[in-house]
Amino acid sequence: MKKILFLDRDGTLILEPEDYQVDHINKLNFYPGVFRWLGRIVRELDYDLVMVTNQDGLGTDSYPETNFWPTHNAMLRALEAEGITFTEQIIDRTFAADNQPTRKPGTGLVQHYLRGNFDLANSYVVGDRLTDIQLAKNMGAKGIWIATDPELGVEELDADQLEGLTETIALRTTDWEEIYRLLRLESRTAAVTRTTKETDIQIELDLDGTGKTDMDTGLGFFDHMLDQLGRHSGCDLAVKVKGDLHIDEHHTIEDTAIALGEAFAAALGDKLGIERYGFNLVMDEATVDVRLDFGGRPWLVWDCDYKREKIGDMPTEMFHHFFKSFSDGAKCNLAIKARGKNEHHIIEATFKALAKSIKAAKRRDVDNMRLPSTKGML
């Protein structure tokens, strides 16, 4: 199914003058960076471009078409010279006060996209008003808000319409380069469910999050360690586990590690542009060396020793088992060496070091989106 970029015109492709009417060639000024970065989107990515613009009262005495079209067509010719063309131009002529369903955020003029065979869930509406974001929500798409003026469009939405826009906004920016990078890199998320007779596990992972975590495994210390993993790797991570803790902790920890590894493998996807490798951390008297390779093959080298039977409610013998199971699920190499005196510090530093390794290894270079391997596959 085809992905679409629904692009507002004024304030998005061209700068909007004080009177909000680009009705003369002298008022035509392009948004900074639009030629370079929208041009790269067109050349490198698989999106159709559709212009969706409100032109209040176009065709009336106050906004005659003889003023609009020469300037509009000059804009199109300049964009076309850079390979930027539109499969459709949708222009609404109603006034804001008319509150017509054809006017953004109404979907009256885009019904054929709602009914057609389009990948709207992975499409975007790009615009400078909150009404553009509301249109994205109404279409089941994502919104990119070019927020030069955060108040633009607010007066056109009631309280109910404003609700939920935060989830629709994929990016708030004034920079077309940031829009290119968002679209070029795309999201890296995974949701994994693992259900056996011993455990029921749900994991949600966003590799490019902000370190938000939500843990509920039934084991306090395990929650604490997984919280470190999410926060210090910069991943959003939620882990919910119902395990047979009335027997012991083994199945809960092992199955969570397997599912967590599988989530990382799924979220990494094709691995294009990733750094692939990462390592190292110190915490108080504890020093930990974690070397990681998301190379597609599981392996664990383990050089850690614990004298305590448990840390909190987690058996120390299960730490080796956790990292081995994670390596198996993520199809990654792990080499872990830990030294210290306080075993709480040692194991917490180990989880933090793994998190920092993940943060380094998952990083992508948008200007070098190649597979980091001479084999041609990972």
Side-chain angles (χ1 to χ4, degrees):
M1 294 189 295
K2 198 69 177 177
K3 296 184 295 184
I4 311 290
L5 282 186
F6 297 95
L7 297 166
D8 183 33
R9 194 191 78 148
D10 304 349
T12 301
L13 300 173
I14 57 178
L15 297 175
E16 197 162 35
E18 290 185 3
D19 63 1
Y20 301 113
Q21 286 189 358
V22 185
D23 54 5
H24 191 279
I25 196 69
N26 290 341
K27 292 183 177 180
L28 181 59
N29 294 291
F30 286 90
Y31 199 99
V34 70
F35 286 111
R36 178 180 182 184
W37 299 110
L38 183 54
R40 288 191 66 172
I41 290 169
V42 169
R43 290 189 296 273
E44 298 175 18
L45 306 179
D46 188 26
Y47 289 94
D48 278 355
L49 305 187
V50 174
M51 186 186 300
V52 185
T53 177
N54 293 331
Q55 297 295 323
D56 289 24
L58 178 60
T60 63
D61 291 341
S62 63
Y63 195 5
E65 296 200 36
T66 53
N67 291 352
F68 173 80
W69 288 110
T71 306
H72 181 78
N73 290 333
M75 175 199 71
L76 293 178
R77 288 193 298 272
L79 291 169
E80 287 171 7
E82 297 298 320
I84 301 168
T85 60
F86 299 88
T87 58
E88 185 178 8
Q89 299 174 57
I90 299 173
I91 300 176
D92 176 70
R93 300 163 179 246
T94 61
F95 289 96
D98 295 339
N99 195 28
Q100 294 297 308
T102 57
R103 182 182 178 84
K104 292 185 290 185
T107 60
L109 291 178
V110 294
Q111 285 296 309
H112 50 302
Y113 291 102
L114 297 178
R115 295 190 298 264
N117 190 28
F118 299 97
D119 184 6
L120 294 181
N122 291 304
S123 296
Y124 292 83
V125 177
V126 185
D128 68 325
R129 292 175 178 260
L130 280 172
T131 46
D132 295 301
I133 306 303
Q134 179 67 25
L135 176 64
K137 181 181 179 183
N138 292 344
M139 296 183 70
K142 304 170 188 175
I144 296 175
W145 185 16
I146 298 181
T148 51
D149 183 350
E151 295 304 314
L152 276 176
V154 172
E155 74 283 355
E156 299 178 32
L157 302 180
D158 59 33
D160 290 338
Q161 290 172 323
L162 284 168
E163 286 186 8
L165 288 191
T166 300
E167 296 179 359
T168 303
I169 298 172
L171 176 67
R172 177 178 172 175
T173 185
T174 58
D175 190 345
W176 261 100
E177 181 179 358
E178 288 191 34
I179 297 174
Y180 163 77
R181 290 180 179 276
L182 171 72
L183 299 179
R184 183 69 178 90
L185 296 178
E186 297 186 332
S187 63
R188 295 184 295 177
T189 62
V192 172
T193 298
R194 179 183 174 89
T195 302
T196 70
K197 292 181 178 179
E198 299 160 342
T199 56
D200 185 9
I201 299 169
Q202 288 85 39
I203 293 178
E204 295 181 0
L205 171 67
D206 182 352
L207 288 185
D208 303 302
T210 58
K212 294 184 295 185
T213 61
D214 184 10
M215 307 301 168
D216 183 11
T217 66
L219 297 169
F221 189 76
F222 195 28
D223 288 349
H224 181 46
M225 293 300 98
L226 294 175
D227 185 60
Q228 303 300 319
L229 189 63
R231 289 179 184 273
H232 292 283
S233 66
C235 298
D236 290 346
L237 179 61
V239 180
K240 303 293 183 185
V241 185
K242 293 182 180 178
D244 55 357
L245 295 178
H246 60 286
I247 296 176
D248 70 4
E249 308 87 351
H250 186 104
H251 299 139
T252 291
I253 296 170
E254 177 185 30
D255 288 5
T256 300
I258 293 170
L260 184 62
E262 291 173 347
F264 272 94
L268 284 166
D270 59 19
K271 302 181 184 177
L272 292 178
I274 67 166
E275 294 294 336
R276 181 176 165 180
Y277 305 101
F279 35 90
N280 284 356
L281 192 110
V282 62
M283 177 178 174
D284 296 325
E285 88 297 340
T287 58
V288 178
D289 184 317
V290 172
R291 299 178 185 250
L292 168 70
D293 174 15
F294 281 124
R297 298 185 303 275
W299 196 267
L300 176 66
V301 176
W302 182 257
D303 187 4
C304 310
D305 185 39
Y306 307 102
K307 295 180 174 61
R308 290 171 59 179
E309 180 181 353
K310 280 190 172 185
I311 300 178
D313 50 8
M314 192 170 174
T316 55
E317 68 175 5
M318 290 303 300
F319 293 132
H320 172 272
H321 210 48
F322 172 88
F323 291 105
K324 174 63 169 64
S325 298
F326 176 85
S327 169
D328 290 343
K331 296 182 175 62
C332 69
N333 290 174
L334 275 178
I336 300 177
K337 180 179 180 179
R339 296 291 184 269
K341 295 182 179 179
N342 184 299
E343 294 188 349
H344 182 120
H345 289 166
I346 294 171
I347 194 58
E348 183 169 339
T350 304
F351 274 84
K352 286 180 177 177
L354 174 60
K356 290 296 186 182
S357 294
I358 290 170
K359 186 173 185 178
K362 71 174 182 167
R363 182 183 176 276
R364 291 177 293 182
D365 182 355
V366 71
D367 295 316
N368 185 30
M369 293 295 285
R370 295 183 294 178
L371 198 66
S373 172
T374 58
K375 294 180 181 293
M377 63 178 294
L378 285 178

